[in-house]
Amino acid sequence: MSLFSLLGALEIGLIFSLVALGVLISFRLLRFPDLTVDGSFPLGGAVCAVLIAGGYSPFVATLAATLAGAVAGLITGWLNVRLKIMDLLASILMMIALYSVNLRIMGGPNVPLINDPTVFNMLQPAGLDDYWWRPLLLLLIVMAAKLAMDWFFSTERGLAIRATGSNARMARAQGIHTGAMVLLGMAISNGLVGLAGALFAQTQGGSDISMGIGTIVIGLAAVIVGESILPSRRLVWATLAVILGAIVYRFFIALALNSDFIGLKAQDLNLVTAVLVTIALVIPQLRRKLAARGR
């Protein structure tokens, strides 16, 4: 596999590590099975692409995309908390609704960004090629998001969100407004996903209605692979694990699809994903069995 392919895999892996951080909040911290991700990811891309194409600053467009993702997560939480709709069904309803919303925002199936400015080319240093600069800038963004997330979830409000996901009844007994914590956690989760969608649209040259298909599977795969690589109960290590999981996942995908002797093609992407997730799920079980035999 060429250096260009490796850097491309790193670039996509870093973008989807933001999705993995969002999935970590909903699935692991809140215990909320959230499928809104498949809609909030293209929502971020759609908002960002439309604003940039309309002449707005890429920084304003990226911020607006992040806020749009947060609003989508907030509505999903509201459907569950206020209207008492089951969490999984609430997220499915929101995901379906966002498909039409995204089409409305874009005014069609896609919005191209050919010669439009992006956060990457506006900040790119002179003399540095873009295929080196994009992964470097994405690494800085991801690490900033990780550190901010580590800090927030060590504060009183962040610990309240974690307590809500761990044991909602006990959290209410301690005076925590669990409904508000679910709304806040879902907003943060999908805000990160919306940010990832905005960055993805800027690196890929536009937004497309189908760019969100399978996003939740990729996020879950990154979380599961990361937890297999770096198992830990501490949040600081858990956030690092999902970032590594997203990067390793994309490297394996790129390796499988660029290995001629295997014979895989682009249409085999979902098959490769299913195999990788299955392996990641089986590894912890094998570890426990080996440890039990050792004892």
Side-chain angles (χ1 to χ4, degrees):
M1 189 164 57
S2 66
L3 176 63
F4 189 78
S5 298
L6 285 172
L7 290 174
L10 176 61
E11 179 182 315
I12 301 299
L14 287 168
I15 291 175
F16 278 99
S17 65
L18 293 171
V19 176
L21 288 173
V23 171
L24 178 70
I25 295 173
S26 58
F27 274 85
R28 287 290 186 258
L29 300 187
L30 278 176
R31 304 291 195 274
F32 194 113
D34 183 27
L35 301 185
T36 312
V37 171
D38 273 19
S40 56
F41 184 78
L43 174 65
V47 171
C48 183
V50 167
L51 289 177
I52 291 176
Y56 288 88
S57 166
F59 301 101
V60 173
T62 303
L63 177 60
T66 304
L67 294 176
V71 170
L74 192 65
I75 295 174
T76 300
W78 180 79
L79 290 173
N80 172 245
V81 173
R82 302 302 182 194
L83 301 187
K84 306 302 180 184
I85 299 175
M86 187 179 66
D87 47 13
L88 181 61
L89 181 57
S91 67
I92 292 174
L93 291 173
M94 193 60 197
M95 177 187 67
I96 294 172
L98 283 175
Y99 186 87
S100 297
V101 171
N102 292 334
L103 284 173
R104 279 282 186 175
I105 291 173
M106 293 189 292
N110 54 67
V111 175
L113 296 174
I114 306 301
N115 296 316
D116 298 281
T118 66
V119 294
F120 298 98
N121 55 37
M122 290 188 71
L123 295 175
Q124 184 174 350
L128 185 62
D129 293 326
D130 60 345
Y131 56 86
W132 284 105
W133 170 241
R134 286 199 302 264
L136 180 59
L137 180 58
L138 285 169
L139 179 61
L140 294 176
I141 294 172
V142 169
M143 293 311 298
K146 177 209 169 348
L147 293 175
M149 187 171 159
D150 292 341
W151 168 80
F152 175 76
F153 283 101
S154 65
T155 63
E156 183 177 351
R157 189 62 57 87
L159 290 172
I161 294 175
R162 296 168 68 179
T164 298
S166 182
N167 191 327
R169 183 176 297 178
M170 182 63 71
R172 284 192 293 270
Q174 298 298 320
I176 297 174
H177 193 331
T178 55
M181 295 303 103
V182 170
L183 294 176
L184 179 58
M186 292 297 293
I188 296 173
S189 171
N190 284 276
L192 286 169
V193 177
L195 172 61
L199 295 174
F200 187 80
Q202 292 177 74
T203 58
Q204 301 303 305
S207 174
D208 189 90
I209 191 62
S210 63
M211 64 185 275
I213 296 176
T215 304
I216 185 60
V217 177
I218 298 173
L220 281 173
V223 171
I224 294 169
V225 171
E227 290 176 345
S228 300
I229 296 173
L230 191 63
S232 176
R233 293 182 178 272
R234 295 188 61 188
L235 185 65
V236 173
W237 294 110
T239 52
L240 178 61
V242 299
I243 292 171
L244 293 175
I247 295 172
V248 169
Y249 166 79
R250 288 307 309 185
F251 272 128
F252 273 113
I253 292 293
L255 181 63
L257 297 181
N258 285 277
S259 299
D260 296 332
F261 65 92
I262 299 178
L264 295 176
K265 297 182 179 180
Q267 60 262 33
D268 300 316
L269 179 61
N270 288 342
L271 174 63
V272 176
T273 299
V275 172
L276 286 176
V277 174
T278 302
I279 293 172
L281 289 170
V282 169
I283 288 176
Q285 299 179 29
L286 293 177
R287 285 178 176 172
R288 286 194 292 269
K289 289 181 179 180
L290 292 175
R293 288 181 181 179
R295 289 195 296 269

